[in-house]
Amino acid sequence: MKRVCVTGAGGYIGSWVVSLFLSKGYMVHGTVRDPCDETKNGHLKKLENAEERLHLFKADLLDFESLCAAFAGCSGVLHVASPVPLHVASTVPGSHTPNPQVELLDPAMLGTQNVLNASLKAKVEKVVVVSSGAAVMVNPELPSDMELDESFWTDIEYANSTQNWYAVSKTIAEMEALNFAKRHDVKVVTICPSIVIGPMLQSIINATSLLLLSYMKEEGRSGGDSMEDIKRPYVDVRDLCDAILLLYENPESNGRYICSAYSLTTKEFVAKMESLSPGYNYPKIFTGQSAYPPLNSEKLLKLGWNYRPLEETIVDNIKNYEETGLLEKGKPFPSTITF
């Protein structure tokens, strides 16, 4: 039977990757910090086919031997694990990362090196590394009048100077992954998603869910009834996972892929949410105008990727928030996280 390992299996993206690969008949190894932590990982054991085909491994990205144990017998590795600070979707890079070397840089960069070396040792055939749009579009010299494709990279020196540690970590880690493939006999493909939205499987809130909740709840907004009107790129977490599966299974996949479906201003996104689910505390005033550079997913689309309508994502997202109680007043925003 086909066997793969998913790093960071209990996280937002990792959980959906595990679910999808189980549904496609794979045996799945999942790395987590503590397989016995029901709060963080209990949802994985409830997934369909998990009892028969999911094996959770206690592993750490900085512990090479633990990764080797998890990868043993696998033909593929889906490297999803990487720390994402809760403020990452905000407009203040680095503002809540007191120790970036320990919190972001080491796990992303050294962790990716360990994943690649452990994959080589386990004779893994293919590794899909989940990078980020942050490895593409943090660069003051980028053209403002064109979509960014896979040839564009974040300027590491500039990201360092602005303390955008997340962009630094993802860019260096992705570069290392692609260079590793040139030096060794293992196929490596990277994927750079934009802001990932959609329903959650895990119980621990993630950064981009906080961003969407801030569109619906005043306590998540630093400006109260107003928000900055930023144009952002988005992709549904389930469509991202479809792309990861496509890149893993398609022998033609190679190099780097951008994964982004839509680009909307805050005002446009809020208007869409309010039309589909009225009655929540949406912002009424939109200030300023700024934009992330638009991302081009043509390379991925040519490989056969498709994405669902934005309306479906929003409806499913809000339903998920309602069912999990995240729209109740006062939840789930820590006092320091506002957008």
Side-chain angles (χ1 to χ4, degrees):
M1 184 176 285
K2 304 172 289 185
R3 188 182 300 264
V4 297
C5 185
V6 181
T7 68
Y12 177 46
I13 298 172
S15 297
W16 280 106
V17 173
V18 169
S19 177
L20 178 61
F21 274 77
L22 285 174
S23 75
K24 298 297 182 181
Y26 283 84
M27 291 287 293
V28 179
H29 293 188
T31 72
V32 294
R33 291 288 183 90
D34 181 1
C36 298
D37 188 334
E38 292 300 310
T39 301
K40 291 185 177 180
N41 303 311
H43 63 285
L44 295 173
K45 301 169 187 177
K46 299 174 185 175
L47 293 174
E48 190 172 355
N49 302 310
E51 189 173 345
E52 302 84 12
R53 291 193 269 108
L54 175 63
H55 185 181
L56 297 182
F57 287 78
K58 179 179 174 62
D60 189 296
L61 292 180
L62 301 182
D63 182 349
F64 175 73
E65 293 302 328
S66 71
L67 293 174
C68 290
F71 295 175
C74 292
S75 57
V77 168
L78 301 319
H79 179 36
V80 181
S82 189
V84 182
L86 287 177
H87 69 275
V88 77
S90 77
T91 57
V92 191
S95 58
H96 293 87
T97 312
N99 194 338
Q101 192 67 45
V102 173
E103 294 179 45
L104 282 172
L105 301 177
D106 286 348
M109 298 179 328
L110 298 180
T112 297
Q113 291 174 6
N114 281 338
V115 165
L116 295 168
N117 283 312
S119 297
L120 191 64
K121 184 177 179 180
K123 295 182 169 56
V124 165
E125 296 170 7
K126 195 172 192 177
V127 181
V128 179
V129 175
V130 179
S131 182
S132 169
V136 179
M137 56 189 182
V138 182
N139 189 328
E141 303 301 322
L142 291 176
S144 59
D145 57 345
M146 66 181 292
E147 294 183 338
L148 305 184
D149 62 19
E150 289 78 8
S151 66
F152 290 92
W153 285 87
T154 280
D155 183 325
I156 295 172
E157 287 188 13
Y158 173 74
N160 261 316
S161 71
T162 58
Q163 299 187 353
N164 192 335
W165 308 120
Y166 179 71
V168 171
S169 69
K170 297 302 283 189
T171 305
I172 295 177
E174 187 186 0
M175 287 179 171
E176 168 60 24
L178 293 172
N179 287 329
F180 186 93
K182 296 175 183 177
R183 303 192 303 267
H184 301 283
D185 187 25
V186 57
K187 187 163 187 180
V188 178
V189 179
T190 65
I191 185 166
C192 301
S194 55
I195 295 174
V196 185
I197 59 174
M200 302 184 303
L201 293 174
Q202 85 288 359
S203 61
I204 306 296
I205 194 75
N206 59 293
T208 53
S209 291
L210 280 174
L211 175 65
L212 256 62
L213 283 167
S214 75
Y215 293 171
M216 306 179 72
K217 300 178 68 177
E218 186 174 353
E219 59 262 42
R221 301 192 288 267
S222 57
D225 205 33
S226 68
M227 287 196 85
E228 190 176 355
D229 198 20
I230 305 171
K231 191 169 189 177
R232 293 181 171 101
Y234 301 90
V235 68
D236 189 296
V237 64
R238 297 162 294 183
D239 294 331
L240 168 60
C241 293
D242 287 343
I244 292 169
L245 177 68
L246 174 65
L247 295 182
Y248 178 69
E249 291 188 335
N250 193 317
E252 302 300 317
S253 66
N254 66 90
R256 190 182 200 212
Y257 290 83
I258 287 173
C259 183
S260 187
Y262 303 100
S263 189
L264 294 91
T265 65
T266 311
K267 184 176 181 179
E268 290 168 337
F269 202 109
V270 167
K272 183 73 71 173
M273 294 180 87
E274 191 164 16
S275 69
L276 294 167
S277 187
Y280 287 102
N281 194 347
Y282 298 102
K284 304 294 189 296
I285 303 167
F286 298 91
T287 61
Q289 286 188 337
S290 60
Y292 287 87
L295 298 174
N296 186 319
S297 300
E298 185 176 351
K299 183 182 178 185
L300 189 57
L301 290 165
K302 284 182 177 178
L303 203 66
W305 180 62
N306 293 296
Y307 52 86
R308 69 199 66 216
L310 177 62
E311 291 79 6
E312 180 181 336
T313 298
I314 291 174
V315 168
D316 291 350
N317 226 144
I318 294 175
K319 181 182 179 183
N320 177 236
Y321 294 163
E322 290 172 339
E323 291 176 346
T324 54
L326 293 175
L327 288 168
E328 295 173 11
K329 187 172 178 58
K331 296 181 180 180
F333 293 97
S335 60
T336 55
I337 306 297
T338 51
F339 295 93

